[in-house]
Amino acid sequence: MMVAGLAAGCVVVLAALVSTVRILREYERAVVFRLGRLRPLKGPGLVGLIPFADRMVRVDLRTIALTIPPQEAITRDNVPVRVNAVAYFKVVDPVRSVVEVENHAVATSQIAQTTLRSVLGREDLDTLLSERDQLNTNLQKIIDEQTEPWGVKVILVEIKDVEIPEAMQRAIGRQAEAERERRARVIHSRGEVQAAENTREAAEILASTPAALQLRYLQTLSEMGGEGRNTVVFPMPIDLAEPLSRILSR
């Protein structure tokens, strides 16, 4: 009986000793309360606790990827959208993340959701689709300002997907097609203007240089009498053709 009692006592003592020691990894810190009062931050490594007097809260300092559930909102131009996003944050002050808020991860998620809906309601659809980088920056700044008192730093916010009604998708497709046609017409008209300017410049050069005009005339005759052609047309000035026509008509 005495041996059994000693063995049981050793087990109890060993269990008590084990319960007073915690091992924290490099990315973990311990916020310790002794009889309800905050103690200095501990970790990493071995942390000793007083049984029944100390309570330890383990805090992870690594960056956490937080998926923001899809949020439905109406843009400034009255278009219903459904947007989901992801936020990356980390704890920079373990003490405040425990003392100032009950659950910093849940609180950060709620703040991110409400901020996302608020920002979407202030922007129009074109901005949401074309200026996503700027929206991400604004979201990160606003959320970070609200989580800063909790010792939480929001590093990055990214909008992952934007869903819009099918009818609006078709309207956007028609708008994009009309824009492409407009650009094609503008490019074609610019080409016509440049071609006309080049033709005018060539005509001015030929008119001011008779030798160049004669060379162009001979080149035209050569092109007209190319391979496989047996007929050559010689253009005649009108001032020479009229006297000849009167002589032939007599």
Side-chain angles (χ1 to χ4, degrees), residues 89 97-110 150 152:
F89 71 93
S97 71
V98 175
V99 175
E100 300 295 336
V101 64
E102 180 180 3
N103 188 319
H104 66 270
V106 174
T108 302
S109 176
Q110 294 298 319
W150 305 336
V152 174

Side-chain angles (χ1 to χ4, degrees), residues 223-235:
E223 292 175 356
M224 295 176 61
E227 183 178 357
R229 299 178 181 177
N230 298 324
T231 303
V232 177
V233 178
F234 289 93

